[in-house]
Amino acid sequence: MRALLESLYRKARRQPAHSFACPPGIIRTQSPTAFFMFGFRKNENAAPSGGWLDRLRKGLSSTRRQLGDQLSGLFRRGQRIDEAFYEDLETALLTADVGVAATATLIDTLRETARREKLSEGEQLRSTLRDALFALLQPAAVPLDPGAQRPFVIMLAGVNGAGKTTSIGKLAHYFQASGHSVLLAAGDTFRAAAREQLTAWGERNNVTVISQASGDAAAVIFDAVNAAQARGTDIVLADTAGRLPTQLHLMDELKKIRRVIDKALPGAPHEVLLVLDANNGQNALAQVRAFDAALGVTGLVLTKLDGTAKGGVVAAIAYERTGGRALPIRFIGVGEGMEDLRPFDAGAFVDALLGHPEDPQ
């Protein structure tokens, strides 16, 4: 194979430059093998194959396999509804990281339905579980609407490695596709590669990135908000450095950043998004409580659902009440592609996790 590639390459090289046009998407290189084997550029902005539900199903496949294997035995024809049934269902839900409180609520709903309708077989409760899970998730499925405010300032926070910077890049793509102009603020001044990473996302999305080689994060975001006002930009996405909730001095810095944004534009930030890594499981709940206490979180972004078999954590988070209110899950991420971060849809999530009611059982 290598000999054939080299032969073709030498043949192409012998042609005059004006008679050999490099085809679109081909990178010229001095390496015969690399010319053919690695020459095709990947279109980073090309729409991935399949619709969102297909990608969501694929992203939740690990959770669906684990949970589905256990539920298929419980909801089969002839399976008696007894205490052992409910105990096994509880184990299945807890294993998928649905959480103690959410699991108890779901099982209470199934118990009440079985008692009221005098059901005797597990198969009869399959649709009840779907409906109960949807009812639990639906209040959290509140889309983020920038409204008429210009610029609409979104501040993102989270622990190290949650995926804030990558989420900002994907959110920029999402808002652009929705017809909004976007500006990015490189407010993560702690991590050496953060500015370069956000700049790369800016180039991919063809949006401006406001950054400083060094300096105060609040000052960077202050400049970005002022620049957005001067340019008439629709949306500002402000990155911040990752930090643990136990790092009190760093949490205090987040509070300072919020105050500075409000000084640049009274009433801003208009949205404070907490980015959560789904692989953190129940620890994500502790993060929600800590960051909300410091910042007044207004929405959540749940990332990396494709990398865990515990996607049930979405239910645990949706059930969580902070300050007497349920926090909206604005977006969920199920992959590395530009299109793999989308608004949370409770119905689509339940379909991807448990299967559609019309799917063969």
Side-chain angles (χ1 to χ4, degrees):
M1 175 60 74
R2 179 181 176 87
L4 174 61
L5 293 175
E6 292 179 347
S7 173
L8 291 171
Y9 176 76
R10 284 194 296 272
K11 182 178 179 181
R13 292 277 292 178
R14 284 198 296 270
Q15 297 184 48
H18 65 272
S19 67
F20 179 65
C22 197
I26 299 294
I27 306 171
R28 289 188 181 277
T29 174
Q30 297 302 313
S31 167
T33 306
F35 179 87
F36 290 98
M37 298 299 288
F38 306 104
F40 291 90
R41 290 185 189 272
K42 180 180 178 181
N43 184 353
E44 298 287 353
N45 296 316
S49 59
W52 169 242
L53 183 56
D54 289 338
R55 297 199 300 280
L56 186 57
R57 286 177 182 270
K58 182 178 180 181
L60 292 174
S61 59
S62 295
T63 303
R64 189 172 61 253
R65 279 194 301 269
Q66 176 173 289
L67 186 59
D69 287 347
Q70 299 180 68
L71 294 184
S72 60
L74 290 171
F75 292 113
R76 70 179 188 275
R77 188 184 301 274
Q79 170 65 49
R80 288 181 54 198
I81 298 177
D82 53 18
E83 281 306 308
F85 169 86
Y86 290 118
E87 289 176 5
D88 289 343
L89 177 59
E90 180 182 52
T91 299
L93 294 173
L94 290 175
T95 301
D97 239 358
V98 172
V100 174
T103 294
T105 296
L106 293 173
I107 290 181
D108 285 347
T109 300
L110 267 63
R111 284 182 183 274
E112 173 59 24
T113 300
R115 184 194 61 77
R116 184 179 62 251
E117 300 182 10
K118 295 181 172 55
L119 304 180
S120 59
E121 294 190 3
E123 183 185 36
Q124 297 169 303
L125 283 176
R126 181 186 294 273
S127 62
T128 303
L129 177 62
R130 285 181 48 82
D131 294 343
L133 182 58
F134 175 78
L136 187 151
L137 294 173
Q138 182 59 22
V142 182
L144 177 58
D145 180 12
Q149 175 65 48
R150 296 292 181 273
F152 187 84
V153 181
I154 303 173
M155 176 181 174
L156 287 91
V159 303
N160 298 300
K164 291 183 305 303
T165 305
T166 298
S167 294
I168 286 178
K170 294 177 181 179
L171 287 172
H173 176 74
Y174 169 78
F175 286 122
Q176 279 189 311
S178 302
H180 298 287
S181 57
V182 180
L183 183 144
L184 307 183
D188 183 352
T189 56
F190 284 95
R191 190 162 58 92
R195 186 175 69 254
E196 289 76 11
Q197 185 182 358
L198 197 64
T199 298
W201 277 108
E203 292 172 353
R204 291 177 66 180
N205 288 298
N206 194 28
V207 300
T208 300
V209 178
I210 303 297
S211 66
Q212 296 178 4
S214 61
D216 181 64
V220 173
I221 299 175
F222 182 87
D223 289 345
V225 173
N226 285 331
Q229 292 181 84
R231 301 178 187 194
T233 303
D234 295 333
I235 293 174
V236 176
L237 293 168
D239 194 11
T240 61
R243 63 203 72 211
L244 295 174
T246 53
Q247 296 171 308
L248 299 182
H249 64 295
L250 295 180
M251 297 298 284
D252 286 340
E253 185 195 51
L254 277 181
K255 298 176 186 178
K256 172 189 172 184
I257 291 173
R258 175 160 191 156
R259 291 194 301 269
V260 169
I261 293 174
D262 181 65
K263 186 176 294 186
L265 179 63
H270 307 99
E271 182 80 6
V272 178
L273 290 178
L274 175 61
V275 181
L276 300 168
D277 181 348
N279 291 282
N280 286 335
Q282 296 299 302
N283 186 47
L285 299 179
Q287 294 175 30
V288 170
R289 299 182 193 110
F291 278 92
D292 184 62
L295 292 174
V297 173
T298 56
L300 306 173
V301 178
L302 197 58
T303 66
K304 307 181 186 180
L305 278 165
D306 56 315
T308 180
K310 297 179 178 290
V313 70
V314 175
I317 291 171
Y319 189 82
E320 174 77 358
R321 299 292 186 273
T322 305
R325 74 195 195 285
L327 285 175
I329 300 175
R330 303 295 197 188
F331 297 89
I332 61 173
V334 293
E336 296 296 327
M338 284 277 215
E339 302 284 346
D340 290 336
L341 185 75
R342 295 285 292 275
F344 176 59
D345 181 319
F349 185 86
V350 173
D351 285 347
L353 188 63
L354 300 180
H356 192 272
E358 298 179 2
D359 292 344
Q361 303 300 337

